[in-house]
Coordinates of all heavy atoms in Angstrom, one line a residue:
Chain B
R93 N -15.8 9.8 5.7 CA -16.8 10.8 6.3 C -16.2 11.6 7.3 O -15.3 11.2 8.0 CB -17.9 9.8 6.9 CG -18.4 8.8 6.0 CD -19.5 7.9 6.6 NE -19.7 6.8 5.7 CZ -19.6 5.4 6.0 NH1 -19.4 5.1 7.2 NH2 -19.9 4.6 5.1
P94 N -16.8 12.7 7.4 CA -16.4 13.7 8.4 C -16.4 13.1 9.9 O -17.3 12.4 10.3 CB -17.4 14.8 8.3 CG -17.8 14.8 7.0 CD -18.0 13.4 6.7
G95 N -15.3 13.3 10.6 CA -15.2 12.8 11.9 C -14.6 11.4 12.1 O -14.4 11.0 13.2
E96 N -14.3 10.7 11.0 CA -13.9 9.4 11.1 C -12.4 9.4 11.6 O -11.7 10.3 11.2 CB -14.0 8.6 9.8 CG -15.4 8.2 9.4 CD -15.7 7.3 8.4 OE1 -14.9 7.6 7.3 OE2 -16.4 6.4 8.5
V97 N -12.1 8.3 12.1 CA -10.6 8.0 12.4 C -10.1 7.1 11.6 O -10.6 5.9 11.2 CB -10.5 7.4 13.9 CG1 -9.0 7.2 14.2 CG2 -10.9 8.5 15.0
V98 N -9.0 7.3 10.8 CA -8.3 6.6 9.8 C -6.9 6.2 10.0 O -6.2 7.0 10.6 CB -8.3 7.6 8.5 CG1 -7.9 6.8 7.2 CG2 -9.7 8.1 8.2
V99 N -6.6 5.0 9.7 CA -5.2 4.6 9.7 C -4.8 4.3 8.3 O -5.4 3.5 7.6 CB -5.0 3.3 10.6 CG1 -3.6 2.7 10.5 CG2 -5.5 3.6 12.1
D100 N -3.7 4.9 8.0 CA -3.2 4.7 6.6 C -1.9 3.8 6.7 O -0.9 4.3 7.3 CB -2.9 6.0 5.9 CG -2.3 5.9 4.5 OD1 -2.2 4.8 4.0 OD2 -2.0 6.8 3.9
I101 N -1.9 2.5 6.2 CA -0.7 1.6 6.4 C 0.3 1.9 5.2 O -0.2 1.8 4.1 CB -1.2 0.2 6.5 CG1 -2.1 0.1 7.6 CG2 0.0 -0.8 6.5 CD1 -2.7 -1.4 7.9
G102 N 1.5 2.4 5.6 CA 2.4 2.6 4.5 C 2.1 3.9 3.9 O 1.8 4.0 2.6
S103 N 2.0 4.9 4.7 CA 1.5 6.2 4.3 C 2.4 7.0 3.6 O 2.1 8.1 2.8 CB 1.1 7.1 5.5 OG 2.1 6.9 6.5
G104 N 3.7 6.6 3.4 CA 4.7 7.2 2.5 C 4.7 8.7 2.8 O 4.8 9.1 3.9
A105 N 4.9 9.5 1.7 CA 4.9 10.9 1.9 C 3.7 11.6 2.0 O 3.6 12.8 2.2 CB 5.6 11.5 0.5
G106 N 2.6 10.9 2.2 CA 1.3 11.4 2.6 C 0.2 11.6 1.7 O -0.8 12.2 1.9
F107 N 0.5 11.1 0.4 CA -0.3 11.4 -0.7 C -1.8 11.1 -0.3 O -2.7 11.9 -0.4 CB 0.0 10.4 -1.9 CG -0.9 10.7 -3.0 CD1 -0.6 11.8 -3.9 CD2 -1.7 9.7 -3.4 CE1 -1.3 12.1 -5.0 CE2 -2.3 10.0 -4.6 CZ -2.3 11.2 -5.4
D108 N -2.1 9.8 0.3 CA -3.5 9.3 0.6 C -3.8 9.9 2.0 O -5.0 10.4 2.1 CB -3.6 7.9 0.6 CG -3.7 7.3 -0.8 OD1 -4.3 7.9 -1.7 OD2 -3.1 6.3 -1.1
S109 N -3.0 10.0 2.9 CA -3.4 10.5 4.2 C -3.7 11.9 4.3 O -4.6 12.3 4.9 CB -2.1 10.3 5.1 OG -1.7 9.1 5.5
L110 N -3.1 12.7 3.4 CA -3.4 14.1 3.4 C -4.9 14.4 2.8 O -5.6 15.2 3.3 CB -2.4 15.0 2.7 CG -1.0 14.9 3.4 CD1 0.1 15.6 2.6 CD2 -1.0 15.4 4.8
Q111 N -5.1 13.5 1.8 CA -6.4 13.6 1.3 C -7.5 13.1 2.3 O -8.6 13.7 2.4 CB -6.5 12.7 0.0 CG -5.7 13.2 -1.2 CD -5.8 12.3 -2.4 OE1 -7.0 12.2 -3.0 NE2 -4.7 11.7 -2.8
A112 N -7.1 12.1 2.9 CA -8.0 11.6 4.0 C -8.3 12.5 5.0 O -9.4 12.6 5.5 CB -7.4 10.2 4.6
A113 N -7.2 13.3 5.4 CA -7.4 14.2 6.5 C -8.4 15.5 6.0 O -9.1 15.9 6.8 CB -6.1 14.8 6.8
R114 N -8.5 15.8 4.8 CA -9.4 16.7 4.2 C -10.7 16.2 4.3 O -11.7 16.9 4.6 CB -8.9 17.2 2.8 CG -7.7 18.0 2.8 CD -7.6 18.6 1.5 NE -7.5 17.9 0.4 CZ -6.9 18.2 -0.8 NH1 -6.3 19.4 -0.9 NH2 -6.8 17.5 -1.9
H115 N -10.9 14.8 4.0 CA -12.2 14.1 3.8 C -12.8 14.2 5.3 O -14.0 14.5 5.4 CB -12.2 12.7 3.5 CG -11.7 12.4 2.0 ND1 -11.7 11.2 1.5 CD2 -11.2 13.3 1.1 CE1 -11.4 11.3 0.2 NE2 -11.1 12.5 -0.1
V116 N -12.0 13.8 6.3 CA -12.6 13.6 7.7 C -12.7 15.0 8.4 O -13.6 15.0 9.4 CB -11.9 12.6 8.4 CG1 -11.8 11.2 7.8 CG2 -10.5 13.0 8.8
G117 N -12.0 15.8 8.1 CA -12.2 17.4 8.6 C -11.6 17.3 10.0 O -10.9 16.5 10.5
P118 N -11.7 18.5 10.6 CA -11.1 18.7 11.9 C -11.7 17.9 13.0 O -11.0 17.7 14.0 CB -11.4 20.4 12.2 CG -12.4 20.6 11.2 CD -12.3 19.8 10.1
G119 N -12.9 17.3 12.8 CA -13.4 16.5 13.7 C -12.9 15.0 13.6 O -13.2 14.2 14.5
G120 N -12.2 14.7 12.6 CA -11.6 13.4 12.4 C -10.1 13.4 12.7 O -9.4 14.5 13.0
R121 N -9.5 12.2 12.3 CA -8.1 12.2 12.7 C -7.4 11.0 11.7 O -8.1 10.1 11.3 CB -7.9 11.7 14.0 CG -6.5 11.7 14.5 CD -6.5 11.7 16.1 NE -6.9 10.5 16.6 CZ -6.1 9.6 17.3 NH1 -4.8 9.8 17.4 NH2 -6.5 8.6 17.9
V122 N -6.4 11.3 11.2 CA -5.6 10.4 10.3 C -4.3 10.0 11.0 O -3.5 10.9 11.4 CB -5.4 10.9 8.9 CG1 -4.5 9.9 8.2 CG2 -6.7 11.2 8.2
I123 N -4.0 8.7 11.1 CA -2.7 8.2 11.7 C -2.1 7.5 10.5 O -2.5 6.4 10.1 CB -3.0 7.2 12.8 CG1 -3.7 7.9 13.9 CG2 -1.6 6.7 13.3 CD1 -4.3 7.0 14.9
G124 N -0.9 8.1 10.0 CA -0.3 7.4 8.9 C 0.9 6.6 9.5 O 1.5 7.1 10.5
V125 N 1.1 5.4 9.0 CA 2.3 4.5 9.5 C 3.1 4.2 8.4 O 2.6 3.7 7.4 CB 1.6 3.4 10.2 CG1 2.8 2.5 10.8 CG2 0.7 3.7 11.4
D126 N 4.4 4.4 8.6 CA 5.4 3.9 7.6 C 6.7 3.5 8.2 O 6.9 4.1 9.3 CB 5.6 5.1 6.6 CG 6.0 4.6 5.1 OD1 7.2 4.2 5.1 OD2 5.4 4.5 4.3
M127 N 7.4 2.5 7.6 CA 8.5 2.2 8.1 C 9.8 2.8 7.6 O 10.9 2.5 8.2 CB 8.7 0.6 7.8 CG 9.1 0.2 6.4 SD 9.3 -1.5 6.5 CE 9.6 -1.7 4.7
T128 N 9.7 3.8 6.8 CA 10.8 4.5 6.2 C 10.7 5.9 6.8 O 9.8 6.7 6.6 CB 10.6 4.6 4.7 OG1 10.5 3.3 4.2 CG2 11.8 5.3 4.2
Q129 N 11.8 6.2 7.6 CA 11.9 7.6 8.4 C 11.8 8.7 7.2 O 11.1 9.6 7.6 CB 13.1 7.6 9.0 CG 13.4 8.8 9.8 CD 12.4 8.9 11.1 OE1 12.2 8.1 11.8 NE2 11.5 10.0 11.2
A130 N 12.5 8.5 6.1 CA 12.4 9.7 5.2 C 11.0 10.0 4.7 O 10.7 11.2 4.5 CB 13.4 9.4 4.0
M131 N 10.3 8.9 4.6 CA 8.8 9.1 4.2 C 8.0 9.8 5.3 O 7.2 10.7 5.0 CB 8.2 7.8 3.8 CG 8.7 7.3 2.5 SD 8.1 8.3 1.0 CE 8.3 7.1 -0.4

Side-chain angles (χ1 to χ4, degrees):
Chain B
R93 300 171 195 131
E96 287 190 317
V97 176
V98 183
V99 174
D100 182 4
I101 301 176
S103 46
F107 182 80
D108 287 321
S109 289
L110 299 176
Q111 293 179 65
R114 289 197 299 207
H115 292 189
V116 301
R121 189 159 68 107
V122 176
I123 302 165
V125 178
D126 202 283
M127 69 176 180
T128 304
Q129 185 68 57
M131 286 293 195

